[in-house]
Each structure stands twice: as structure tokens, then as C-alpha cells.
């Protein structure tokens, strides 16, 4: 019986010995784990601060994007106002030139009548000729009038090009929306890491995209007309579908 | 008497572009910054045609079309959608709600004049 107890005791001692050997082996691993943790904690704190810093800067970035949108909107409106004024002035000049052309035609006719009345007066004929040589001809005025439709067309093109502002403002609004989503995610991440930084982020949450702002994230500045052609095709096919439905209904 | 066109768009520049393109062709243009304002402006004078954006705060373009089409007094007013959305889903939805035409942004001023003339001349 004693022999059995001793054998069990040695067995247990062997187990304890194995445990010590294992412990000796694992201690350096644990030590390096602790070292790693000690090195990682400041790194994590750094990351945390960087996230908090970036998050606090996001409102300023979105503010700046909004400022850009407002500035371009104002500038575009001002340019369009000027285009409007130019267009109106052109229209006034065009109308005046048409009046002048009519009056020039009348004047030419009067001169011809006067010439017919004084065929033998050499001095009068010379004066008529001098007048004719220095007169602004109708064709010259008509040449000027021909320029107006071209200028009008150019103002149309300016109008078309200025619409880039609306498209870019929608794209910027989409970027703002994306930035705000990132800010929200970062704020929740900071909250998970360290509660104390949350206040800093929340204080900068006053900023947001103007309330109710709407945008098309896929807005693109495409002047080719291809997208309009595609839309026209869809509408046309829809209309055909509708009329086919009506025909079917009639005969059902 | 000049025909009156109501433009509903939250972009001030687009409102200006449309006004610019249409007033020079002899139309009167009144502007609304969203669908709700457009609905409020409808009774202010006889509106002959409505041009509307789709993405708008308060009341979007689809809801505006629905509101116009469901009102006995305004249901026959031609409505032109002017949007940067070019997906077939939006186009089909807009047309099924009762839009008369669908124009894409950026728009050609001549095209919008053509579409307006189609309904008003």
C-alpha cells in the first residue's frame, strides 16, 4: 500500500516537474508578449489621437467644400447676370441696326429721286456722288447683323458650360455626405476606444451639410447629348408600349 | 399675354439658367426652390407649364408631379422633368407619374425651348 502511495507521489512530482519545465519555456514568450503590449499601447494611443484629430478636422473640410460650392454658385449667378445683360444689349443693338437699315433704304431711294430731279446740275451730281461714296452701305450694316446670331449662339454655349457649377455642386455634396459618414464611423470608433475623446468629437459635430440638401452622387457634366438621346429612346419605347397596351385593351 | 412657366429646382443656378433660356423667348418664368414652394406658387397665377427637378428637399419632383396630377385644376398642365438622374428607373417612374417630357442636366437651352414650345405653341 505504501509502495503504491509513493509511486503516485512520484508520478505527481513528475507532473509538477513537467509544469515547471513548460513554465520555464513559456516565460520568455510571456515576457515578449508583455514587451509587445508595452510597445503597442503608445502606438494605439497615437492612432486614437490621430483618429480624434482627423475627426475634429472633418467639419472644417466639409465647411470648406460648402464654401467652395457657395462661392462658385455666386460667381456663376453673376456671370449669368452679365450674359443676360450682354444678350439684352445685343438684342437692342440688333433691333437698332434693323431700323437703321430700313432708314438707309429710304435715304437711298430719296437720293435717287433727287438725282432724277437734277440731272443737268453737275455740281449737285458731284455732291450726290460724294454722298454715295461716304455713305454707310446697307450691305455693311447687314454684315454686322449677321454677327448677332453667332454671338447669341455663343451666349447659349456659355449658358450650357456654366451648368458645370450645378453638376460639381452635386458631386461636392456627395463628397460631403461621404466625409460625414466617415466622421460618424470614426466617432463611434473613438467612443469604443476611449470615452474621453468623444466630447471633443461631439463638440465639432455642429457642422453638417445644409439641412435637406439633395444631390445626385452620379451627376456628370456630359454635354455630348448621348444621355438625352438614351432618355428619348426610353420614353419612345415607353410610349410605344403604352399604345400597344391601349390597342390590346381595345381588342380584349 | 405671355405664357407663364414655373420652374422648381433647389439649385439657384439652374433656376437662373432656365429663366435666362426662356425669358429671352418671350415666356414669363417664376421660380420655386423646392416642390413645396412650387405647390404654394401654383395658385398665385395661371401656370401654363411646370419644369421640375427630381432631387429636392421638402417635396421632391415625383411628389410634385403627383400633387399636380391629382388636382383637378392643374392636372392638365404639361410637366417637364429636368434632372441629372439618368437611370431608366427614374425616367420610367417620372413618366408614369405623369411627366410630359424628361430632360437631362446639363441641358441644351435650345432643347428646353423646343420642349416648351411643343406644349405652349
Amino acid at each position: 500500500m505504501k509502495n503504491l502511495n509513493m509511486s503516485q507521489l512520484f508520478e505527481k512530482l513528475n507532473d509538477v516537474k513537467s509544469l515547471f519545465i513548460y513554465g520555464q519555456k513559456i516565460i520568455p514568450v510571456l515576457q515578449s508578449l508583455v514587451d509587445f503590449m508595452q510597445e503597442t499601447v503608445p502606438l494605439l494611443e497615437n492612432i486614437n489621437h490621430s483618429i480624434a484629430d482627423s475627426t475634429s478636422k472633418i467639419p472644417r473640410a466639409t465647411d470648406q467644400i460648402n464654401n467652395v460650392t457657395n462661392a462658385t454658385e455666386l460667381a456663376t449667378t453673376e456671370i449669368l447676370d452679365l450674359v443676360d445683360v450682354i444678350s439684352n444689349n445685343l438684342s437692342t443693338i440688333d433691333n437698332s441696326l434693323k431700323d437703321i437699315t430700313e432708314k438707309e433704304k429710304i435715304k437711298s431711294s430719296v437720293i435717287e429721286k433727287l438725282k432724277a430731279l437734277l440731272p443737268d446740275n453737275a455740281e449737285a451730281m458731284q455732291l450726290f456722288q460724294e454722298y454715295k461714296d461716304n455713305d454707310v452701305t446697307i450691305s455693311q450694316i447687314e454684315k454686322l447683323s449677321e454677327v448677332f446670331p453667332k454671338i447669341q449662339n455663343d451666349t447659349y454655349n456659355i449658358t450650357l458650360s456654366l451648368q458645370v457649377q450645378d453638376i460639381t455642386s452635386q458631386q461636392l455634396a456627395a463628397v460631403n455626405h461621404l466625409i460625414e459618414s466617415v466622421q460618424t464611423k470614426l466617432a463611434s470608433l473613438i467612443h469604443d476606444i476611449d470615452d474621453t475623446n468623444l466630447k471633443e468629437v461631439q463638440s465639432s459635430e455642429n457642422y453638417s451639410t445644409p439641412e435637406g440638401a439633395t444631390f445626385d452622387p452620379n451627376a456628370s457634366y456630359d454635354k455630348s447629348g448621348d444621355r438625352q438621346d438614351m432618355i428619348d429612346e426610353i420614353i419612345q419605347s415607353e410610349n410605344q408600349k403604352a399604345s400597344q397596351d391601349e390597342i390590346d385593351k381595345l381588342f380584349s | 399675354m405671355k405664357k407663364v412657366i414655373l420652374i422648381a429646382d433647389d439649385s439657384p443656378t439652374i433656376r437662373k439658367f432656365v429663366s435666362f433660356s426662356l425669358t429671352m423667348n418671350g415666356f414669363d418664368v417664376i421660380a420655386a426652390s423646392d416642390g413645396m414652394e412650387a405647390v404654394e406658387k401654383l395658385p398665385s397665377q395661371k401656370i401654363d407649364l411646370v419644369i421640375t427637378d427630381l432631387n429636392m428637399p421638402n417635396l421632391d419632383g415625383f411628389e410634385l408631379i403627383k400633387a399636380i396630377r391629382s388636382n383637378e385644376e392643374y392636372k392638365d398642365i404639361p410637366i417637364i422633368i429636368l434632372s441629372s438622374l439618368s437611370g431608366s428607373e427614374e425616367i420610367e417612374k417620372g413618366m408614369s407619374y405623369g411627366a410630359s417630357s424628361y430632360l437631362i442636366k446639363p441641358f441644351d437651352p435650345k432643347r428646353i425651348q423646343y420642349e416648351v414650345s411643343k406644349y405652349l405653341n
Side-chain angles (χ1 to χ4, degrees):
Chain A
M1 184 72 185
K2 265 184 190 175
N3 276 345
L4 186 65
N5 283 345
M6 284 306 281
S7 155
Q8 278 178 338
L9 181 68
F10 281 123
E11 208 173 294
K12 292 288 173 197
L13 279 170
N14 267 338
D15 285 351
V16 171
K17 189 185 166 191
S18 310
L19 191 69
F20 277 126
I21 291 165
Y22 181 72
Q24 271 177 332
K25 279 181 187 168
I26 209 159
I27 278 169
V29 178
L30 285 172
Q31 182 62 47
S32 42
L33 192 67
V34 169
D35 291 346
F36 173 74
M37 290 297 280
Q38 276 173 338
E39 282 168 19
T40 312
V41 166
L43 191 71
L44 283 173
E45 273 173 9
N46 259 348
I47 292 170
N48 189 20
H49 283 132
S50 296
I51 292 172
D53 187 44
S54 308
T55 310
S56 68
K57 280 176 185 162
I58 282 176
R60 210 177 338 140
T62 46
D63 254 343
Q64 277 168 346
I65 289 174
N66 267 357
N67 288 344
V68 169
T69 303
N70 292 339
T72 54
E73 193 173 277
L74 187 69
T76 309
T77 309
E78 282 174 1
I79 294 168
L80 206 63
D81 280 340
L82 289 173
V83 172
D84 202 6
V85 169
I86 291 168
S87 185
N88 285 334
N89 288 342
L90 280 174
S91 187
T92 309
I93 296 169
D94 193 26
N95 288 335
S96 299
L97 279 179
K98 277 174 190 154
D99 278 352
I100 292 168
T101 311
E102 286 309 307
K103 280 175 185 162
E104 280 301 318
K105 280 178 187 168
I106 295 166
K107 267 165 70 182
S108 294
S109 150
V110 168
I111 293 292
E112 290 306 316
K113 279 175 192 168
L114 275 172
K115 270 170 80 177
L117 287 173
L118 304 162
D120 303 325
N121 190 329
E123 200 182 348
M125 285 298 150
Q126 198 185 338
L127 284 170
F128 284 139
Q129 192 55 46
E130 204 177 323
Y131 175 84
K132 206 174 177 182
D133 291 345
N134 292 295
D135 192 22
V136 180
T137 58
I138 292 164
S139 65
Q140 276 175 301
I141 299 170
E142 280 170 347
K143 257 184 202 168
L144 277 176
S145 292
E146 280 167 18
V147 180
F148 286 101
K150 287 175 192 161
I151 300 174
Q152 200 69 36
N153 199 43
D154 288 342
T155 59
Y156 276 135
N157 288 334
I158 291 171
T159 311
L160 184 62
S161 299
L162 283 175
Q163 287 178 68
V164 72
Q165 191 280 327
D166 175 62
I167 304 296
T168 49
S169 73
Q170 291 196 57
Q171 288 166 342
L172 287 175
V175 170
N176 256 0
H177 182 71
L178 190 70
I179 290 174
E180 278 169 21
S181 308
V182 171
Q183 187 193 11
T184 312
K185 291 278 174 204
L186 287 178
S188 89
L189 192 63
I190 289 170
H191 180 256
D192 292 344
I193 297 173
D194 184 359
D195 258 353
T196 53
N197 282 325
L198 187 66
K199 280 177 192 161
E200 195 186 335
V201 175
Q202 277 174 339
S203 67
S204 61
E205 269 179 356
N206 298 332
Y207 169 78
S208 66
T209 308
E211 204 179 329
T214 57
F215 58 88
D216 170 16
N218 300 316
S220 70
Y221 183 60
D222 178 5
K223 292 200 293 180
S224 66
D226 292 348
R227 292 200 302 161
Q228 185 62 55
D229 291 345
M230 187 200 76
I231 286 166
D232 291 344
E233 268 175 36
I234 292 173
I235 292 171
Q236 210 176 352
S237 69
E238 279 298 306
N239 287 344
Q240 278 169 357
K241 224 190 284 175
S243 48
Q244 188 57 50
D245 284 348
E246 281 161 18
I247 294 164
D248 292 345
K249 212 182 276 177
L250 267 175
F251 291 97
S252 64
Chain B
M1 199 169 144
K2 282 183 178 180
K3 302 271 185 186
V4 182
I5 295 162
L6 172 65
I7 162 80
D9 200 304
D10 55 337
S11 160
T13 41
I14 289 293
R15 295 200 295 270
K16 192 98 187 159
F17 291 138
V18 173
S19 279
F20 173 75
S21 306
L22 296 175
T23 47
M24 68 194 320
N25 274 58
F27 297 107
D28 266 345
V29 178
I30 55 172
S33 58
D34 59 49
M36 194 61 82
E37 197 185 329
V39 169
E40 284 164 8
K41 282 193 171 172
L42 273 172
S44 65
Q45 54 186 304
K46 190 190 167 293
I47 305 290
D48 297 294
L49 186 139
V50 173
I51 297 171
T52 181
D53 185 17
L54 289 179
N55 273 335
M56 286 188 290
N58 301 323
L59 191 76
D60 67 21
F62 294 120
E63 293 303 313
L64 173 63
I65 297 169
K66 225 197 281 184
I68 293 171
R69 290 289 177 248
S70 61
N71 186 301
E72 197 57 36
E73 200 178 335
Y74 311 121
K75 68 178 170 59
D76 296 324
I77 296 177
I79 301 171
I80 298 173
I81 292 174
L82 180 61
S83 171
S84 56
L85 298 170
S86 57
S88 55
E89 199 183 309
E90 285 91 11
I91 299 161
E92 281 161 18
K93 189 176 173 187
M95 300 310 283
S96 71
Y97 274 39
S100 317
S101 293
Y102 196 111
L103 297 180
I104 195 79
K105 292 177 188 172
F107 66 90
D108 179 353
K110 285 172 193 163
R111 176 67 194 255
I112 206 163
Q113 284 161 8
Y114 165 76
E115 288 295 330
V116 167
S117 305
K118 208 163 79 179
Y119 300 109
L120 297 186
N121 288 342

